[in-house]
Amino acid sequence: MFTRILIANRGEIAVRVIRTARAMGLRTVAVHSDVDADALHVAEADEAVAIGGAAPSESYLRADAVIEAARATGAEAIHPGYGFLSENPGFVEAVEAAGLVFVGPSAEAIRKTGLKDAAKRLMEEAGVPVVPGYMGEDQDAGRLAEEAERIGFPVLIKAVAGGGGKGMRRVDAAGDFADALEAARNEARGAFGNDAVLIEKFVATPRHIEVQVFGDGTRAVHLFERDCSLQRRHQKVIEEAPAPGMTDEMRAAMGEAAVRAAEAIGYAGAGTVEFIVDASDGLRPDRFYFMEMNTRLQVEHPVTELVTGVDLVEWQLRVAAGEPLPARQDELSLSGHAFEARLYAEDVPAGFLPATGRLSTLTFPDGVRADSGVRAGDAISPHYDPMIAKLVVHGATRAVALRKLARALEDTQVAGTTTNLAFLGALARHAGFAAGEVDTGLIARDLDALVAAPAPGPATVAEAALTAAGLDGPAAPFQGFALWQAPVRTVALQRDGTEIACRLRCHGPDHIELEADGAAAVTVERRGGGWWIDGAPARGAARHDGRVTVFAHPAATFDVVDPLERAAAASGAPVIEAPMPGRVVHVAVTAGQEVREGERLAVLEAMKMEHALTAWRDGVVAEVLVAEGDQVEAGASLVRLEDEEPAGEGAA
C-alpha cells in the first residue's frame, strides 16, 4: 500500500478522497489554484502545492504541474477524482512515465470508451445492447440529416467526446435538424475541442439507470444500479439506489451486461456503465441500451456506498496498490435505499443560471451525509462548478429514505448566495416521484410547479424584519424602552421587487408586536432564550450583505432597504447586462446593426456552460461595450441599444 497520495482535484471530491485516505493511514497532498489557496480541500490535506492561476487550464488541467507536485512531495500515486484530468489517457501515461501510480483504469481502457461512437461499437461486439443510431466517420451535415431520417424522429444529436449534456440536442422534426446540429457542434467544439457527433434514436419514455462496476484489470464485479432519471437539461439532480421498480431479472441482466463491458476493456478501478431504459412498458430486460461508460468515480457514488456498505475510494486505492478485488460478486448485496440531492449555487427562477457569492451560513442537519468542499465563509467562484454539497440519506425503504431526504433539505441552512434548495425540496415532495413514476422528462413536464416560490407567510416576514432590525440576538439591557420617543422601529424589506413596510412595537425586551403593510399584527415573544412567533419557534435567520435569509420551509431571502440609499425609479436604460460573472465567448452584433426581439447579441460562458443573451425588443445597437474574451462581473453592461423615441416624436 502507498504511504502518500496526491489528489489531482478540488472541491468536495478532493475532500472526500482525502478523508478515506486519512482513515487508511495514508498521508495526502492537495494541489490548488491561486484562488483556492484557502479552500477546504487544502485545509484537510497534510500538505498542499500551488499549481497556477484560477482558470482550470492554468492549474487543475496542467498535467505537468500536477506530476511535478507529486514528485516534489514524495507522493507515490495520484487520485484524479472526477472531471479535470480523470479521463485523460495522456495524463495516465504521463503519470506512469514519471514512475507514479494512477488510481484508475489504464490509458488504453479510457481511450476505448472515450468516444461514444467507438465505445458503442465495442459494446456491440461484447454483446451489450445499444440504441439504434449512426456512429459513422462521415460527418457531412447532409449525411447526418439522412441518417436521422433513416433512424426516425425524434433523435438525439450527441457529441462523441465529453459528457454532462454538453453538445447534445434533441430533434423532433427534420426541419429543425440543421440548426440543432450547428448548435451541438459549436458547443462540443468549445467544451471538448472535438465537434464530431453521433445520431441515435430518442427513447420516448426514458429512464437513466447506470450500473457501478469495479475491476482489477482482468475480472470485474458490479455493485448494482443507480437511477439517475431525475434530470434537468441532461444534468442529474437527485439520484437513488436501487432503481424503483427494478426486478431481479432485469437487475441481473443489466449487471451482467455491465460486467461484460468492463471485462471487454480490461477495466481496473471504479467505473460506471450508463444505460438508457425504455420504460414505456415498465422495466423489461429487453429494453435497456448502452449509452456510455464513465471511466472514473461518479458524482453520485455515495448512494451505492450507502446501500452496499462499500467505500469505493478505499477499493480504488487497494486495487491500485496491487491488491485483488476486495469482494466476489456473491459477497455483495443491497441493503435499504439511498438518495443523493445535489445542492448548487444557482438561480432557479432565472432559468437555473449559475450563481456566485460568499456563504455566510452553511449548516447541515444531523443524520445526513453531506459531502461538501466549502464551509461558511467560503466564496462560490465563477471559475468552477457551483456545487455546494451533496446531501445523501439512507433508509430501510424507499419511502423512509425519501422522507429523510425531504426533512434533510428542510433543515439545511445556507445563506450568502442563491441556491436550488427550495427546488430540491419540491422534488422530494413530488407525488409522482414518491410513487416511483420517474423518467428523464419529469422535471421539464412539471417545471412551473417545481420552481413556483410560495409567498412568505407573516411569520417569515416578521422574522426577517426582526433580524433586519438587529433584534434577533440576546436582549439588550434597555431594549423595548424609550425616552422622549415612541418605542417603535420601522424596517423596509424588499422581495421580488415589492417593498414591505414593517413596524415593530417593543413592549419590553421579550415582547414585540409587528405589523407588515397593514396585515394583522404578529406577536413575537422570547421564551427560554429564543424567539417564538405567533406561538411557534422562529426558524432562524442570517443577515448578510444587506440581505436577510429566513430558514423557513422553503427559505426566503429579503433585501433590507436603506432609506438613505433608496434607488431612483428604474430609468429604463436599454442596456443588456451580464446576469452572472463569466467570460464573453462570442459577440454577435456590431454598432449600428438592427436587431429583432429575441435575436442573439452575445454569448457568455460561466460555470462551464454557455448562455445566450438576446434583445428584449426590436432596435438598433448603439454600442458594444465588451470584446470576445473579456471576463465580466454580474451586472456588467455588454450591449446598449439606441433609446426608443418618445411617442409623438419623429413624425413628419
Side-chain angles (χ1 to χ4, degrees):
M1 177 52 69
F2 318 112
T3 58
R4 187 186 308 266
I5 67 167
L6 180 143
I7 298 88
N9 219 295
R10 67 176 301 279
E12 67 86 13
I13 187 58
V15 173
R16 188 259 172 280
V17 173
I18 287 169
R19 289 177 178 173
T20 283
R22 182 190 303 131
M24 296 175 68
L26 310 183
R27 298 189 68 79
T28 57
V29 180
V31 292
H32 66 86
S33 66
D34 294 343
V35 296
D36 272 347
D38 297 321
L40 180 58
H41 76 280
V42 173
E44 291 267 348
D46 293 300
E47 53 188 310
V49 179
I51 56 172
S57 61
E58 300 172 355
S59 51
Y60 298 107
L61 290 173
R62 288 185 57 204
D64 57 339
V66 171
I67 293 171
E68 179 56 34
R71 298 173 75 171
T73 56
E76 303 139 280
I78 295 178
H79 193 300
Y82 54 71
F84 294 135
L85 296 166
S86 64
E87 293 179 285
N88 184 323
F91 177 61
V92 178
E93 290 168 340
V95 169
E96 293 173 347
L100 306 171
V101 174
F102 179 78
V103 182
S106 66
E108 181 183 9
I110 294 175
R111 283 198 176 95
K112 285 180 177 179
T113 58
L115 297 179
K116 292 184 177 67
D117 53 351
K120 290 181 73 171
R121 285 192 289 267
L122 180 64
M123 292 305 127
E124 278 188 298
E125 295 171 4
V128 180
V130 300
V131 180
Y134 173 74
M135 301 172 286
E137 295 183 3
D138 186 350
Q139 291 287 304
D140 178 74
R143 173 65 185 278
L144 293 173
E146 290 175 4
E147 292 294 339
E149 291 272 15
R150 178 186 62 79
I151 296 165
F153 293 95
V155 299
L156 274 181
I157 302 172
K158 299 171 68 173
V160 300
K166 297 178 180 64
M168 183 184 296
R169 294 293 187 278
R170 171 181 171 174
V171 188
D172 292 315
D176 301 327
F177 186 83
D179 288 344
L181 176 62
E182 182 182 6
R185 280 177 160 171
N186 288 341
E187 194 168 88
R189 189 183 305 112
F192 316 120
N194 183 345
D195 66 358
V197 299
L198 60 84
I199 313 295
E200 67 182 25
K201 180 68 177 175
F202 178 77
V203 178
T205 310
R207 283 178 61 177
H208 180 143
I209 300 177
E210 59 190 31
V211 177
Q212 176 72 59
V213 293
F214 206 100
D216 63 4
T218 303
R219 296 183 304 110
V221 296
H222 71 83
L223 289 90
F224 312 104
E225 81 281 354
R226 297 185 289 259
D227 195 309
C228 305
S229 300
L230 215 55
Q231 299 181 8
R232 178 192 59 78
R233 298 177 186 166
H234 307 292
Q235 297 280 3
K236 300 166 188 175
V237 179
I238 294 179
E239 302 98 349
E240 60 181 303
M246 179 61 69
T247 64
D248 291 341
E249 182 185 15
M250 185 163 181
R251 176 173 292 127
M254 293 185 78
E256 290 167 4
V259 168
R260 284 199 301 274
E263 292 183 345
I265 60 173
Y267 195 80
T272 301
V273 182
E274 299 193 356
F275 296 100
I276 190 76
V277 178
D278 181 350
S280 58
D281 192 24
L283 296 185
R284 292 175 38 176
D286 61 343
R287 296 284 184 90
F288 68 90
Y289 310 100
F290 173 84
M291 282 200 303
E292 60 184 337
M293 184 171 183
N294 291 300
T295 52
R296 53 171 167 77
L297 202 62
Q298 289 280 88
V299 177
E300 58 273 19
H301 76 274
V303 293
T304 294
E305 294 185 322
L306 291 189
V307 295
T308 62
V310 170
D311 184 327
L312 288 169
V313 173
E314 179 185 337
W315 275 30
Q316 285 185 299
L317 294 171
R318 290 172 60 183
V319 168
E323 294 185 22
L325 280 174
R328 300 189 310 270
Q329 189 67 61
D330 59 7
E331 295 174 324
L332 297 167
S333 61
L334 286 167
S335 175
H337 205 96
F339 286 96
E340 173 183 290
R342 302 187 186 192
L343 177 61
Y344 279 98
E346 61 183 8
D347 190 340
V348 172
F352 297 88
L353 291 179
T356 58
R358 189 167 296 278
L359 296 168
S360 61
T361 302
L362 182 63
T363 61
F364 304 105
D366 293 336
V368 175
R369 173 173 167 174
D371 285 11
S372 179
V374 291
R375 306 148 293 188
D378 287 348
I380 303 298
S381 166
H383 301 289
Y384 312 114
D385 187 271
M387 180 185 286
I388 296 173
K390 303 181 309 193
L391 276 67
V392 196
V393 298
H394 180 267
T397 66
R398 186 176 189 270
V400 169
L402 189 55
R403 286 196 297 270
K404 291 178 70 172
L405 178 65
R407 182 59 186 267
L409 293 167
E410 287 182 357
D411 292 343
T412 293
Q413 297 185 351
V414 54
T417 186
T418 304
T419 76
N420 67 339
L421 186 58
F423 172 69
L424 294 174
L427 280 172
R429 297 187 299 272
H430 187 280
F433 184 50
E437 300 167 359
V438 58
D439 61 72
T440 58
L442 183 149
I443 289 178
R445 288 193 303 272
D446 293 347
L447 186 61
D448 290 345
L450 290 168
V451 303
T460 299
V461 175
E463 189 164 0
L466 192 74
T467 304
L471 301 176
D472 55 318
F478 298 104
Q479 182 175 302
F481 297 94
L483 202 59
W484 299 305
Q485 64 179 2
V488 174
R489 294 281 301 275
T490 300
V491 173
L493 304 173
Q494 190 174 71
R495 179 173 167 82
D496 297 333
T498 301
E499 188 166 312
I500 307 169
C502 304
R503 289 168 54 85
L504 297 91
R505 186 179 300 276
C506 297
H507 297 285
D510 301 325
H511 183 192
I512 297 172
E513 284 189 0
L514 185 142
E515 294 181 0
D517 281 341
V522 173
T523 300
V524 183
E525 299 176 294
R526 194 190 306 274
R527 301 182 190 174
W531 286 108
W532 288 61
I533 301 175
D534 272 356
R539 294 295 308 173
R543 181 164 182 171
H544 49 95
D545 297 331
R547 311 186 87 190
V548 171
T549 298
V550 180
F551 303 119
H553 299 158
T557 299
F558 303 80
D559 291 308
V560 181
V561 179
D562 187 335
L564 299 178
E565 298 180 2
R566 288 182 184 273
S571 64
V575 177
I576 288 79
E577 297 179 343
M580 76 210 85
R583 185 172 66 90
V584 179
V585 295
H586 180 58
V587 176
V589 294
T590 58
Q593 179 178 335
E594 291 188 5
V595 294
R596 295 292 183 185
E597 179 182 348
E599 186 172 340
R600 178 178 294 193
L601 304 177
V603 178
L604 191 67
E605 182 184 68
M607 310 296 187
K608 302 188 292 185
M609 296 188 69
E610 292 189 354
H611 306 270
L613 305 174
T614 59
W616 67 73
R617 63 168 172 84
D618 295 350
V620 176
V621 176
E623 190 176 9
V624 177
L625 302 167
V626 292
E628 292 181 2
D630 285 355
Q631 188 77 28
V632 297
E633 294 298 320
S637 298
L638 306 180
V639 176
R640 183 172 66 83
L641 301 181
E642 289 185 355
D643 294 333
E644 292 184 293
E645 291 186 358
E649 292 189 13

